[in-house]
Amino acid sequence: MRICLTLAVTLLTFLLSGCRHSGGGSRQSETAGSSDSISEMSPAYALGFSVSERPDGVRLVTMRHPADTNAVPQHFALIPKGTEPIDIPDGYTPIHVPVERVVCMTMTQLGAFATLDSYDKVVATSNTQRTRNPEWLRRLDDGRVSRIGMEGNFDKEIILACDPDVIFISPHRRGGYDGLKNLGIPLIPFWAFSETTPLGLSEWIKITGMFIGKEQKAIEVFHGIEERYNRLKALAAGATDRPSVMSGEMRGGTWYVPGGNSFYGKLFRDAGARYFMESDTGTDATLMEFEQVYSKGCDADFWRVMNAYHGEFSYDALEASDARYADFKAFRNRKVIYCNLEEVPLYENLPLTPDVLLADMIKAFHPDLLPNHKPVYYHLLQ
């Protein structure tokens, strides 16, 4: 059964609406002046970009891998259309904004354009396998948005025919981008899903806003996410107990385990739980053998599982994939927290609803704290 995400988000927002009136009040972008605007556009959580603004209105944006301090940064000078700036620093790619025609490579990027009500800016996209947004599906069907193929096999002729101003790439994924460098179209590295915190992931909507001229709307959207998320985090911090949680499952003979300082590691802590890899300092995923995971997680209270399963997933189905799973305490006690990507548009909507994801985790770990919340992405497997 498909979940009505819009209704769920609306209900959660209503339940948490007090956050807009607490402790100093919310920040209203409509009243911000230009000096405040650049301060608001600078990231408070994201590690993958930085922003500065010159007196002539040119914004200097630097992007790099959020968790790799040795990564080579890329620089862009966002120049307001109709102006003739001088002295653009060496190494900066000049881009006149707002851009009008964009190619997106991921659902994360499409989600930002949808949230900013800027569907018309997107002229083409890559993999649309799990897209559920009705408007994107309509535009794909009638040709207003073109399909450019999968990573590693992009159709350059289609891309050129779409005449994009920029291409938002997803450099944490594999393949195909080097072949686009000779098209003469700026490639914008969208590092959102390499951020190590939920709010850092969401904050990339500011990048989208700057490129398409919807900065103030992006600020407003992000502050709403920030306030709801931090209110839930404070709620979970008051829990009297902190259950332990393990994560991942066997794939291709190894276990994909998020690092202790990864997105999910921090999400679990914000939800009032102890992650079984807490002693690990990694920000990316680690590939481990079953025995390694078992030694660390066999007695964990909860177990997060995410996969794409056709049909009704169950404990029987989980055990059928690997009989050893039945030895875990979380399996025996029916404490598996599950997301089925075949039914739930997690990747499409997660970047701008981390507060909903956090609520799902709190509901699993501390159900008494959110008695009226109905899980949206993850639920306790029955």
Side-chain angles (χ1 to χ4, degrees):
M1 180 179 66
R2 296 196 178 188
I3 301 169
C4 180
L5 178 65
T6 301
L7 177 59
V9 174
T10 301
L11 289 173
L12 181 63
T13 302
F14 174 77
L15 289 171
L16 300 177
S17 60
C19 71
R20 298 179 183 275
H21 305 288
S22 62
S26 64
R27 291 168 282 188
Q28 297 297 322
S29 61
E30 290 85 351
T31 60
S34 59
S35 61
D36 292 333
S37 176
I38 190 60
S39 175
E40 296 278 30
M41 294 305 293
S42 296
Y45 304 90
L47 302 177
F49 72 90
S50 61
V51 185
S52 63
E53 185 169 347
R54 304 191 324 189
D56 61 359
V58 173
R59 283 182 177 155
L60 302 178
V61 180
T62 295
M63 302 180 190
R64 70 170 72 214
H65 189 296
D68 184 358
T69 56
N70 295 318
V72 177
Q74 291 178 260
H75 307 288
F76 302 91
L78 306 188
I79 305 166
K81 285 183 178 177
T83 65
E84 294 296 333
I86 58 175
D87 298 328
I88 297 299
D90 290 341
Y92 279 76
T93 300
I95 298 174
H96 287 85
V97 293
V99 296
E100 301 298 335
R101 301 176 65 81
V102 180
V103 172
C104 291
M105 292 294 183
T106 67
M107 290 181 291
T108 304
Q109 298 159 7
L110 291 176
F113 281 86
T115 299
L116 297 177
D117 193 22
S118 296
Y119 291 95
D120 288 339
K121 298 277 189 177
V122 178
V123 295
T125 188
S126 179
N127 185 3
T128 59
Q129 180 181 1
R130 301 194 188 283
T131 299
R132 300 271 171 71
N133 181 300
E135 183 60 24
W136 289 130
L137 293 175
R138 281 191 291 269
R139 289 169 179 263
L140 288 162
D141 287 342
D142 64 25
R144 283 178 290 172
V145 175
S146 298
R147 291 180 171 89
I148 62 170
M150 302 287 288
E151 289 182 338
N153 192 29
F154 297 126
D155 192 318
K156 297 180 184 178
E157 291 186 3
I158 292 178
I159 294 175
L160 289 172
C162 290
D163 191 26
D165 298 315
V166 296
I167 300 175
F168 281 4
I169 65 172
S170 187
H172 70 283
R173 303 180 70 171
R174 295 179 298 174
Y177 298 127
D178 285 343
L180 302 179
K181 291 180 179 179
N182 62 355
L183 297 182
I185 304 167
L187 304 181
I188 312 303
F190 210 83
W191 286 106
F193 255 111
S194 293
E195 290 288 345
T196 59
T197 62
L199 289 177
L201 167 63
S202 298
E203 202 161 22
W204 277 78
I205 194 173
K206 294 180 179 180
I207 289 292
T208 304
M210 280 188 283
F211 273 84
I212 66 175
K214 289 202 172 181
E215 298 94 333
Q216 296 305 315
K217 177 64 174 177
I219 290 170
E220 178 184 341
V221 168
F222 176 72
H223 285 331
I225 296 168
E226 178 189 29
E227 291 179 12
R228 293 190 297 273
Y229 188 96
N230 284 335
R231 186 174 179 84
L232 283 165
K233 179 180 176 181
L235 179 69
T240 56
D241 67 308
R242 296 183 69 239
S244 56
V245 56
M246 58 179 285
S247 182
E249 58 186 309
M250 293 291 290
R251 293 178 183 174
T254 53
W255 197 302
Y256 179 92
V257 181
N261 282 326
S262 66
F263 174 95
Y264 271 104
K266 293 177 181 177
L267 178 76
F268 295 143
R269 286 192 283 274
D270 289 348
R274 293 178 290 110
Y275 185 38
F276 84 131
M277 294 285 288
E278 276 195 344
S279 61
D280 177 70
T281 60
T283 57
D284 294 324
T286 300
L287 294 180
M288 299 173 66
E289 299 294 331
F290 179 92
E291 291 74 15
Q292 293 175 292
V293 177
Y294 186 81
S295 67
K296 289 179 173 290
C298 63
D299 292 324
D301 299 305
F302 290 87
W303 176 10
R304 180 195 74 98
V305 174
M306 175 185 67
N307 57 37
Y309 188 82
H310 295 280
E312 186 79 22
F313 194 71
S314 64
Y315 282 94
D316 288 341
L318 184 58
E319 185 177 4
S321 65
D322 194 315
R324 296 173 294 180
Y325 288 161
D327 293 333
F328 286 94
K329 175 183 174 181
F331 184 101
R332 299 195 309 269
N333 291 346
R334 297 303 192 255
K335 295 294 185 180
V336 171
I337 310 169
Y338 178 64
C339 173
N340 189 345
L341 295 175
E342 285 295 320
E343 299 179 352
V344 179
L346 176 69
Y347 288 126
E348 187 171 18
N349 295 312
L350 170 59
L352 296 171
T353 55
D355 50 315
V356 178
L357 178 60
L358 180 61
D360 285 355
M361 294 298 168
I362 294 173
K363 179 69 174 182
F365 300 143
H366 308 288
D368 292 344
L369 294 181
L370 288 177
N372 297 320
H373 177 67
K374 293 184 178 180
V376 176
Y377 300 124
Y378 283 89
H379 63 277
L380 280 177
L381 190 61
Q382 299 302 310

